[in-house]
Amino acid sequence: MGEIKIYGYVRVSSKDQNEDRQRIALHEMGVPETNIYIDKQSGKDFERPAYKRMVRKLKSNDLLYIKSIDRLGRNYEEIQNQWRILTKEKSVDIYVIDMPLLDTRRGKDLVGTFLSDIVLQVLSFVAENERTNIRQRQAEGIAAAKVKGVKFGRPALPYPDNFREIHRDWRNKKITLRQAADACRMPVGTFYGKARKFENSTYINCGQNL
């Protein structure tokens, strides 16, 4: 039997999310920094290149640490499938730091394996259900805020002092759209959008178009 190596896997859901909490937990378990694999991706991207590289390196009886069960996948089916691949096909041991009951080194007999499988199924279901609830609460919160008039996104830039004059010259075809945008120090799309908004508000307030 070759030397048993220890690995750790970290996954965060976006490039802005900090992975330090997971990394520190892995260090505390004795995982070498060189054996920690980290993936950062958006919700739409689940390619996980670091995870795939790690799985290729894993050998039979190696030990993999993860902070929580949902690091293995986005939903119940995915978590179950990755657990099966790692423990059955790769014969790797897994230790879930947040749930010490999920330690495949313990209870390798039939009863121990049965209990571990039950805990895994419950936790992976809970992880998926919690993510669904979070998304629902976020959607409900945004909807409620919109009803109250809360606006999301970056605030609109104010009109520059010369906007009315530049807008008039552009509409009178004295200057091009590009020249108008440059004069207002705006991208062309921004100038055009503001021009339409300006015209609509002027029409409403004055009862006539410019």
Side-chain angles (χ1 to χ4, degrees):
M1 183 186 297
E3 178 189 1
I4 296 175
K5 293 185 178 180
I6 300 175
Y7 293 87
Y9 178 65
V10 172
R11 180 175 66 81
V12 290
S13 57
S14 74
K15 291 184 178 179
D16 296 325
Q17 190 175 346
N18 194 300
E19 74 272 9
D20 287 348
R21 186 173 62 88
Q22 294 180 60
R23 189 196 291 266
I24 290 171
L26 295 176
H27 281 310
E28 290 175 348
M29 302 306 296
V31 181
E33 178 65 28
T34 53
N35 285 0
I36 294 178
Y37 290 77
I38 301 174
D39 277 316
K40 298 181 182 182
Q41 80 276 351
S42 67
K44 295 180 181 178
D45 171 27
F46 208 70
E47 291 299 314
R48 300 198 292 174
Y51 179 80
K52 291 179 178 178
R53 288 198 307 272
M54 181 191 69
V55 171
R56 286 196 295 268
K57 277 205 158 194
L58 288 169
K59 300 291 189 297
S60 177
N61 295 314
D62 283 346
L63 175 59
L64 172 63
Y65 284 99
I66 53 175
K67 181 75 168 64
S68 57
I69 192 64
D70 59 353
R71 299 307 87 191
L72 287 182
R74 292 173 298 182
N75 54 52
Y76 178 86
E77 183 179 357
E78 204 161 47
I79 292 170
Q80 295 281 329
N81 187 47
Q82 291 304 315
W83 186 275
R84 179 188 58 77
I85 290 171
L86 292 169
T87 60
K88 308 298 184 187
E89 295 181 13
K90 301 285 292 186
S91 297
V92 171
D93 279 316
I94 303 176
Y95 181 88
V96 181
I97 298 172
D98 285 350
M99 179 54 64
L101 277 174
L102 282 178
D103 180 357
T104 59
R105 296 170 299 176
R106 301 170 51 188
K108 294 223 180 224
D109 60 2
L110 184 60
V111 175
T113 301
F114 176 71
L115 290 175
S116 180
D117 285 347
I118 290 177
V119 174
L120 170 65
Q121 291 183 41
V122 171
L123 288 181
S124 53
F125 173 78
V126 169
E128 179 180 0
N129 195 52
E130 179 60 21
R131 278 191 296 274
T132 301
N133 289 339
I134 289 173
R135 287 195 295 268
Q136 183 176 343
R137 287 195 296 268
Q138 288 173 337
E140 290 172 351
I142 291 171
K146 285 182 176 178
V147 169
K148 294 179 181 179
V150 176
K151 295 185 182 297
F152 294 87
R154 292 179 296 181
L157 294 173
Y159 291 101
D161 293 338
N162 63 343
F163 186 84
R164 183 182 291 271
E165 179 184 351
I166 297 298
H167 174 270
R168 183 177 62 247
D169 288 347
W170 170 58
R171 279 306 187 191
N172 290 334
K173 302 188 184 303
K174 292 181 179 180
I175 57 175
T176 65
L177 177 60
R178 167 64 68 182
Q179 289 172 329
D182 289 344
C184 292
R185 297 183 179 179
M186 295 177 178
V188 171
T190 301
F191 175 84
Y192 186 78
K194 282 189 172 296
R196 295 297 300 272
K197 186 176 181 181
F198 175 74
E199 291 163 7
N200 290 338
S201 63
T202 303
Y203 180 81
I204 292 172
N205 292 333
C206 301
Q208 59 181 5
N209 217 328
L210 288 180

mmCIF file of all heavy atoms in Angstrom, residues 68-87:
data_model
loop_
_atom_site.group_PDB
_atom_site.id
_atom_site.type_symbol
_atom_site.label_atom_id
_atom_site.label_comp_id
_atom_site.label_asym_id
_atom_site.label_seq_id
_atom_site.Cartn_x
_atom_site.Cartn_y
_atom_site.Cartn_z
ATOM 1 N N SER A 68 -18.019 21.377 4.515
ATOM 2 C CA SER A 68 -19.426 20.987 4.634
ATOM 3 C C SER A 68 -19.821 20.163 3.422
ATOM 4 O O SER A 68 -19.174 20.218 2.371
ATOM 5 C CB SER A 68 -20.333 22.218 4.760
ATOM 6 O OG SER A 68 -20.152 23.072 3.653
ATOM 7 N N ILE A 69 -20.887 19.412 3.564
ATOM 8 C CA ILE A 69 -21.296 18.449 2.543
ATOM 9 C C ILE A 69 -21.676 19.121 1.228
ATOM 10 O O ILE A 69 -21.489 18.559 0.147
ATOM 11 C CB ILE A 69 -22.469 17.577 3.063
ATOM 12 C CG1 ILE A 69 -22.699 16.388 2.120
ATOM 13 C CG2 ILE A 69 -23.736 18.391 3.233
ATOM 14 C CD1 ILE A 69 -21.542 15.436 2.055
ATOM 15 N N ASP A 70 -22.171 20.373 1.287
ATOM 16 C CA ASP A 70 -22.620 21.023 0.057
ATOM 17 C C ASP A 70 -21.462 21.509 -0.818
ATOM 18 O O ASP A 70 -21.683 22.017 -1.910
ATOM 19 C CB ASP A 70 -23.582 22.176 0.353
ATOM 20 C CG ASP A 70 -22.968 23.242 1.232
ATOM 21 O OD1 ASP A 70 -21.838 23.047 1.729
ATOM 22 O OD2 ASP A 70 -23.620 24.284 1.425
ATOM 23 N N ARG A 71 -20.219 21.353 -0.343
ATOM 24 C CA ARG A 71 -19.068 21.680 -1.207
ATOM 25 C C ARG A 71 -18.950 20.684 -2.361
ATOM 26 O O ARG A 71 -18.326 20.977 -3.375
ATOM 27 C CB ARG A 71 -17.767 21.673 -0.403
ATOM 28 C CG ARG A 71 -17.666 22.670 0.735
ATOM 29 C CD ARG A 71 -17.957 24.101 0.310
ATOM 30 N NE ARG A 71 -19.383 24.406 0.366
ATOM 31 C CZ ARG A 71 -19.933 25.496 -0.147
ATOM 32 N NH1 ARG A 71 -19.167 26.364 -0.794
ATOM 33 N NH2 ARG A 71 -21.215 25.732 -0.039
ATOM 34 N N LEU A 72 -19.556 19.509 -2.207
ATOM 35 C CA LEU A 72 -19.454 18.470 -3.239
ATOM 36 C C LEU A 72 -20.398 18.697 -4.409
ATOM 37 O O LEU A 72 -20.206 18.115 -5.478
ATOM 38 C CB LEU A 72 -19.739 17.087 -2.636
ATOM 39 C CG LEU A 72 -18.650 16.485 -1.747
ATOM 40 C CD1 LEU A 72 -19.070 15.105 -1.275
ATOM 41 C CD2 LEU A 72 -17.316 16.403 -2.480
ATOM 42 N N GLY A 73 -21.431 19.517 -4.235
ATOM 43 C CA GLY A 73 -22.371 19.698 -5.337
ATOM 44 C C GLY A 73 -23.408 20.751 -5.035
ATOM 45 O O GLY A 73 -23.538 21.225 -3.910
ATOM 46 N N ARG A 74 -24.206 21.089 -6.059
ATOM 47 C CA ARG A 74 -25.229 22.126 -5.927
ATOM 48 C C ARG A 74 -26.573 21.586 -5.468
ATOM 49 O O ARG A 74 -27.427 22.336 -5.031
ATOM 50 C CB ARG A 74 -25.424 22.837 -7.270
ATOM 51 C CG ARG A 74 -24.258 23.664 -7.715
ATOM 52 C CD ARG A 74 -24.464 24.192 -9.110
ATOM 53 N NE ARG A 74 -24.574 23.111 -10.093
ATOM 54 C CZ ARG A 74 -24.723 23.305 -11.395
ATOM 55 N NH1 ARG A 74 -24.806 24.526 -11.860
ATOM 56 N NH2 ARG A 74 -24.797 22.289 -12.230
ATOM 57 N N ASN A 75 -26.769 20.274 -5.608
ATOM 58 C CA ASN A 75 -28.071 19.727 -5.256
ATOM 59 C C ASN A 75 -27.911 18.300 -4.724
ATOM 60 O O ASN A 75 -26.816 17.723 -4.735
ATOM 61 C CB ASN A 75 -29.027 19.753 -6.462
ATOM 62 C CG ASN A 75 -28.420 19.067 -7.681
ATOM 63 O OD1 ASN A 75 -27.954 17.924 -7.607
ATOM 64 N ND2 ASN A 75 -28.421 19.764 -8.815
ATOM 65 N N TYR A 76 -29.014 17.749 -4.267
ATOM 66 C CA TYR A 76 -29.036 16.428 -3.634
ATOM 67 C C TYR A 76 -28.415 15.355 -4.526
ATOM 68 O O TYR A 76 -27.534 14.605 -4.107
ATOM 69 C CB TYR A 76 -30.499 16.089 -3.312
ATOM 70 C CG TYR A 76 -30.729 14.735 -2.703
ATOM 71 C CD1 TYR A 76 -30.630 14.551 -1.323
ATOM 72 C CD2 TYR A 76 -31.072 13.638 -3.495
ATOM 73 C CE1 TYR A 76 -30.859 13.307 -0.752
ATOM 74 C CE2 TYR A 76 -31.297 12.396 -2.937
ATOM 75 C CZ TYR A 76 -31.189 12.235 -1.565
ATOM 76 O OH TYR A 76 -31.399 11.001 -1.019
ATOM 77 N N GLU A 77 -28.843 15.326 -5.788
ATOM 78 C CA GLU A 77 -28.366 14.282 -6.707
ATOM 79 C C GLU A 77 -26.862 14.401 -6.959
ATOM 80 O O GLU A 77 -26.143 13.403 -6.994
ATOM 81 C CB GLU A 77 -29.130 14.385 -8.028
ATOM 82 C CG GLU A 77 -28.752 13.294 -9.026
ATOM 83 C CD GLU A 77 -29.551 13.404 -10.319
ATOM 84 O OE1 GLU A 77 -30.431 14.292 -10.411
ATOM 85 O OE2 GLU A 77 -29.289 12.597 -11.230
ATOM 86 N N GLU A 78 -26.393 15.633 -7.129
ATOM 87 C CA GLU A 78 -24.981 15.852 -7.422
ATOM 88 C C GLU A 78 -24.094 15.465 -6.238
ATOM 89 O O GLU A 78 -23.033 14.863 -6.407
ATOM 90 C CB GLU A 78 -24.765 17.325 -7.774
ATOM 91 C CG GLU A 78 -23.546 17.578 -8.616
ATOM 92 C CD GLU A 78 -23.637 18.928 -9.304
ATOM 93 O OE1 GLU A 78 -23.974 19.910 -8.610
ATOM 94 O OE2 GLU A 78 -23.370 19.003 -10.512
ATOM 95 N N ILE A 79 -24.528 15.820 -5.035
ATOM 96 C CA ILE A 79 -23.768 15.466 -3.828
ATOM 97 C C ILE A 79 -23.673 13.945 -3.693
ATOM 98 O O ILE A 79 -22.599 13.388 -3.453
ATOM 99 C CB ILE A 79 -24.421 16.086 -2.578
ATOM 100 C CG1 ILE A 79 -24.290 17.617 -2.614
ATOM 101 C CG2 ILE A 79 -23.767 15.544 -1.301
ATOM 102 C CD1 ILE A 79 -25.108 18.323 -1.546
ATOM 103 N N GLN A 80 -24.807 13.281 -3.869
ATOM 104 C CA GLN A 80 -24.829 11.823 -3.773
ATOM 105 C C GLN A 80 -23.906 11.184 -4.814
ATOM 106 O O GLN A 80 -23.169 10.233 -4.520
ATOM 107 C CB GLN A 80 -26.259 11.313 -3.990
ATOM 108 C CG GLN A 80 -27.248 11.724 -2.920
ATOM 109 C CD GLN A 80 -27.123 10.874 -1.675
ATOM 110 O OE1 GLN A 80 -26.764 9.710 -1.734
ATOM 111 N NE2 GLN A 80 -27.431 11.458 -0.527
ATOM 112 N N ASN A 81 -23.950 11.708 -6.023
ATOM 113 C CA ASN A 81 -23.156 11.137 -7.110
ATOM 114 C C ASN A 81 -21.662 11.309 -6.855
ATOM 115 O O ASN A 81 -20.872 10.363 -7.037
ATOM 116 C CB ASN A 81 -23.537 11.804 -8.434
ATOM 117 C CG ASN A 81 -22.876 11.141 -9.630
ATOM 118 O OD1 ASN A 81 -22.878 9.912 -9.754
ATOM 119 N ND2 ASN A 81 -22.287 11.939 -10.507
ATOM 120 N N GLN A 82 -21.243 12.499 -6.419
ATOM 121 C CA GLN A 82 -19.825 12.734 -6.147
ATOM 122 C C GLN A 82 -19.342 11.893 -4.966
ATOM 123 O O GLN A 82 -18.216 11.390 -4.973
ATOM 124 C CB GLN A 82 -19.573 14.224 -5.887
ATOM 125 C CG GLN A 82 -19.734 15.107 -7.110
ATOM 126 C CD GLN A 82 -18.853 14.658 -8.264
ATOM 127 O OE1 GLN A 82 -17.684 14.356 -8.105
ATOM 128 N NE2 GLN A 82 -19.444 14.601 -9.454
ATOM 129 N N TRP A 83 -20.180 11.737 -3.959
ATOM 130 C CA TRP A 83 -19.819 10.903 -2.812
ATOM 131 C C TRP A 83 -19.577 9.457 -3.261
ATOM 132 O O TRP A 83 -18.618 8.816 -2.841
ATOM 133 C CB TRP A 83 -20.932 10.970 -1.769
ATOM 134 C CG TRP A 83 -20.610 10.266 -0.475
ATOM 135 C CD1 TRP A 83 -20.775 8.945 -0.198
ATOM 136 C CD2 TRP A 83 -20.056 10.844 0.713
ATOM 137 N NE1 TRP A 83 -20.379 8.659 1.082
ATOM 138 C CE2 TRP A 83 -19.928 9.806 1.674
ATOM 139 C CE3 TRP A 83 -19.666 12.136 1.062
ATOM 140 C CZ2 TRP A 83 -19.430 10.021 2.956
ATOM 141 C CZ3 TRP A 83 -19.174 12.356 2.331
ATOM 142 C CH2 TRP A 83 -19.053 11.315 3.271
ATOM 143 N N ARG A 84 -20.467 8.982 -4.149
ATOM 144 C CA ARG A 84 -20.328 7.610 -4.651
ATOM 145 C C ARG A 84 -19.039 7.449 -5.453
ATOM 146 O O ARG A 84 -18.294 6.472 -5.284
ATOM 147 C CB ARG A 84 -21.536 7.256 -5.524
ATOM 148 C CG ARG A 84 -21.481 5.849 -6.130
ATOM 149 C CD ARG A 84 -22.596 5.633 -7.134
ATOM 150 N NE ARG A 84 -22.558 6.604 -8.204
ATOM 151 C CZ ARG A 84 -21.707 6.563 -9.231
ATOM 152 N NH1 ARG A 84 -20.819 5.581 -9.312
ATOM 153 N NH2 ARG A 84 -21.736 7.481 -10.167
ATOM 154 N N ILE A 85 -18.750 8.409 -6.324
ATOM 155 C CA ILE A 85 -17.541 8.337 -7.149
ATOM 156 C C ILE A 85 -16.293 8.297 -6.274
ATOM 157 O O ILE A 85 -15.390 7.475 -6.474
ATOM 158 C CB ILE A 85 -17.474 9.536 -8.117
ATOM 159 C CG1 ILE A 85 -18.566 9.400 -9.192
ATOM 160 C CG2 ILE A 85 -16.099 9.650 -8.765
ATOM 161 C CD1 ILE A 85 -18.722 10.626 -10.060
ATOM 162 N N LEU A 86 -16.256 9.176 -5.273
ATOM 163 C CA LEU A 86 -15.063 9.271 -4.428
ATOM 164 C C LEU A 86 -14.879 8.042 -3.543
ATOM 165 O O LEU A 86 -13.783 7.497 -3.446
ATOM 166 C CB LEU A 86 -15.140 10.535 -3.561
ATOM 167 C CG LEU A 86 -15.043 11.868 -4.316
ATOM 168 C CD1 LEU A 86 -15.404 13.024 -3.402
ATOM 169 C CD2 LEU A 86 -13.647 12.059 -4.893
ATOM 170 N N THR A 87 -15.967 7.620 -2.902
ATOM 171 C CA THR A 87 -15.830 6.546 -1.915
ATOM 172 C C THR A 87 -15.882 5.151 -2.536
ATOM 173 O O THR A 87 -15.216 4.230 -2.047
ATOM 174 C CB THR A 87 -16.923 6.654 -0.836
ATOM 175 O OG1 THR A 87 -18.214 6.549 -1.451
ATOM 176 C CG2 THR A 87 -16.823 7.977 -0.098
#
